Amino acid sequence: MSLRINDIAPDFTAETTHGPVSFHDWIGDGWAVLFSHPKNFTPVCTTELGAMGGLQPEFEKRGVKIIGISVDPVESHEKWKNDIRTATGFNVDYPLIGDKDLKVAKLYDMLPAGAGESSEGRTPADNATVRSVFVIGPDKKIKLVLTYPMTTGRNFEEILRAIDSIQLTSKHQVATPANWKQGEDVIITAAVSNEDAIARFGYYDTVLPYLRKTKQPG
Ligand code: BEZ
């Protein structure tokens, strides 16, 4: 069965471009993004890994470590980094897992539905990880899951936006509306009474009886 929000992110050990990693220990007390790409030396993936290189400082600001994964070996990841720098101008300074035996890919259900259930019945294309993203909290629980098809590069700014919301709403009894960005008004959750809302937030606006908005708490 596939992993769901609030499941504990499966722990694993793996070879990476930064040496062996024990996943939960590597996450430590912070947040993590585990993201897979289908194959090294392919065009969309090259742009994606470069984009993540450029955004790494933004993830770090939020206390989030990033780690990539594909079924390519670590040596291939190392060779590919030059192309990513040439194409995008960004270095890949974050670790990349070399999941040659598909151990992590299977654990996180990152393989596409394929020709058969056993590895014998699957073609090399079936054994390429899809474009998955897992956001994991300090409690090691999965906070967000995304899966994109091979032909569609991800918008990693959206992952940052979602992390801003997840981190905010884990601290305060608020939710964030559609297309919300850091600093914009938030929604007071239904569990908070009107009286409590005044005590907590000082002010709120009743758009509908079940939609109350207030300033983003600090
Ligand atoms: C790409 O990144 O462009 C790609 C990866 C796997 C299959 C097809 C395209």
Side-chain angles (χ1 to χ4, degrees):
M1 195 165 76
S2 57
L3 293 169
R4 295 171 302 181
I5 284 178
N6 284 339
D7 280 340
I8 295 286
D11 198 12
F12 59 82
T13 54
E15 289 304 317
T16 82
T17 49
H18 291 198
V21 156
S22 184
F23 191 50
H24 282 194
D25 290 344
W26 177 81
I27 295 173
D29 295 329
W31 295 69
V33 169
L34 170 68
F35 71 102
S36 58
H37 67 272
K39 199 162 174 39
N40 291 358
F41 299 99
T42 56
V44 177
C45 298
T46 300
T47 64
E48 286 194 320
L49 271 78
M52 277 302 250
L55 289 174
Q56 190 174 3
E58 288 300 319
F59 284 98
E60 282 170 358
K61 256 192 234 169
R62 292 158 173 83
V64 183
K65 289 180 172 177
I66 58 178
I67 188 165
I69 174 175
S70 78
V71 301
D72 302 282
V74 164
E75 304 76 53
S76 167
H77 291 329
E78 288 295 356
K79 286 187 191 140
W80 186 32
K81 284 181 183 180
N82 276 338
D83 282 2
I84 295 171
R85 191 182 311 113
T86 302
T88 69
F90 294 115
N91 289 321
V92 175
D93 291 330
Y94 52 88
L96 296 175
I97 296 167
D99 190 35
K100 280 190 302 187
D101 56 4
L102 315 184
K103 184 175 81 177
V104 182
K106 285 180 181 163
L107 206 52
Y108 278 79
D109 206 10
M110 289 168 166
L111 299 173
E117 285 312 305
S118 73
S119 46
E120 293 81 48
R122 299 178 70 89
T123 67
D126 296 330
N127 285 346
T129 46
V130 291
R131 300 186 198 281
S132 299
V133 181
F134 293 87
V135 174
I136 300 158
D139 56 3
K140 312 295 180 295
K141 287 188 179 168
I142 294 171
K143 308 295 179 185
L144 177 151
V145 184
L146 266 186
T147 309
Y148 270 44
M150 298 289 189
T151 44
T152 305
R154 287 158 287 189
N155 180 343
F156 292 104
E157 301 267 5
E158 166 59 9
I159 307 298
L160 284 170
R161 190 196 73 85
I163 288 171
D164 284 341
S165 168
I166 295 164
Q167 292 186 337
L168 177 74
T169 59
S170 70
K171 286 198 217 108
H172 302 279
Q173 284 194 289
V174 297
T176 59
N179 302 327
W180 173 88
K181 287 197 236 38
Q182 191 73 268
E184 293 180 356
D185 286 356
V186 299
I187 293 168
I188 301 170
T189 59
V192 180
S193 68
N194 288 345
E195 193 183 19
D196 197 16
I198 292 293
R200 282 171 187 271
F201 307 110
Y203 158 88
Y204 67 88
D205 179 28
T206 305
V207 183
L208 293 166
Y210 55 85
L211 174 51
R212 299 167 298 169
K213 285 192 166 180
T214 192
K215 298 272 169 237
Q216 177 181 330

